[in-house]
Amino acid sequence: MWRMARPRKPLLSRDRIVEAAGALVDAEGLEAVSTRRLAAALGVSGPSLYNHFRTKDEILDAVADSVSARVDLSMFDDGRDWRASLHAWAHSYRDALADHPNIVPVLARGPGRRPAGLRLADAVFGAMTAAGWPPAQATRIGALMRYFILGSAVGSFARGFVDDRTAYDPADYPHLGQAHLLAERQREVDEGAFETGLAALLDGLALQYEALKEPA
């Protein structure tokens, strides 16, 4: 008589480890990630994780790269000009970070050897140089956009104010009489600020670009 096989546990893989680590980072922050916590979440022994990652930093790098991989890069290949491409890319990048703000400090270190992060940097630099920006300026544009996008994802300006009118005494803060309303309008305020800043950046770059095209 054949015995029914016992259900097998899903094989441990890099993808499963990254998914579990990402969930921990989202829920509790970077400090929550440890081999002990991950092993418990995955139902395995701690040492088995080292068959896939040597260190905690490698795991966090992989989590960061999984977020970078969600950024749409198609706008750099579909015929849009450099300004429209940067605008669409900036929104896609911010959207990818919106649900994972706790991983932003890792992303802010730069791409290092992370494949998705390097493809992102390569796409932006390539599109800018193809549009006629000098390589040095194209590098600065990539850096500038990253500073702006990552900074916008670190926290919410609107949530930085409490929903309490009495916290902002006009005698002390004569211009913050409506500040207690910001928290309930978080999305409107933060998205509006992002779009305002992005437009200002792109307007400034457009002026520089026109200057590049002027005869010497």
Side-chain angles (χ1 to χ4, degrees):
M1 181 175 178
W2 293 100
R3 294 184 179 180
M4 294 183 62
R6 293 181 179 178
R8 296 179 61 187
K9 292 182 179 179
L11 293 175
L12 188 62
S13 66
R14 286 179 65 91
D15 286 346
R16 286 192 65 215
I17 295 170
V18 170
E19 182 179 359
L24 271 176
V25 172
D26 287 345
E28 301 180 41
L30 296 173
E31 296 306 315
V33 178
S34 67
T35 54
R36 180 183 62 81
R37 291 286 304 274
L38 284 175
L42 292 163
V44 299
S45 63
S48 64
L49 299 177
Y50 295 113
N51 293 325
H52 301 276
F53 294 98
R54 292 176 298 176
T55 65
K56 170 183 171 177
D57 283 343
E58 283 191 0
I59 295 173
L60 292 176
D61 268 349
V63 173
D65 215 37
S66 71
V67 175
S68 293
R70 300 174 192 177
V71 181
D72 182 15
L73 301 176
S74 64
M75 68 286 296
F76 296 117
D77 295 314
D78 64 7
R80 278 179 259 191
D81 65 22
W82 68 267
R83 176 174 178 146
S85 295
L86 282 183
H87 185 274
W89 169 71
H91 277 282
S92 178
Y93 201 171
R94 184 172 183 264
D95 289 346
L97 299 178
D99 293 330
H100 311 284
N102 291 339
I103 200 64
V104 170
V106 179
L107 287 165
R109 299 172 192 163
R113 298 176 183 270
R114 298 194 293 268
L118 289 170
R119 285 193 293 272
L120 188 154
D122 182 72
V124 175
F125 181 81
M128 295 305 101
T129 54
W133 288 98
Q137 187 67 350
T139 299
R140 295 185 193 107
I141 290 170
L144 169 67
M145 297 298 291
R146 282 186 66 256
Y147 297 153
F148 175 67
I149 297 165
L150 293 175
S152 75
V154 169
S156 164
F157 175 82
R159 279 206 311 265
F161 296 87
V162 297
D163 184 14
D164 179 1
R165 182 190 295 271
T166 64
Y168 308 108
D169 190 330
D172 297 319
Y173 315 107
H175 306 295
L176 296 182
Q178 301 297 307
H180 65 287
L181 301 175
L182 291 175
E184 67 182 38
R185 299 175 183 173
Q186 176 197 336
R187 183 171 181 177
E188 176 187 353
V189 172
D190 291 344
E191 290 187 359
F194 181 79
E195 186 57 42
T196 298
L198 180 58
L201 285 177
L202 296 177
D203 285 346
L205 289 175
L207 291 174
Q208 294 183 33
Y209 188 72
E210 289 305 313
L212 286 175
K213 301 302 180 182
E214 293 177 357

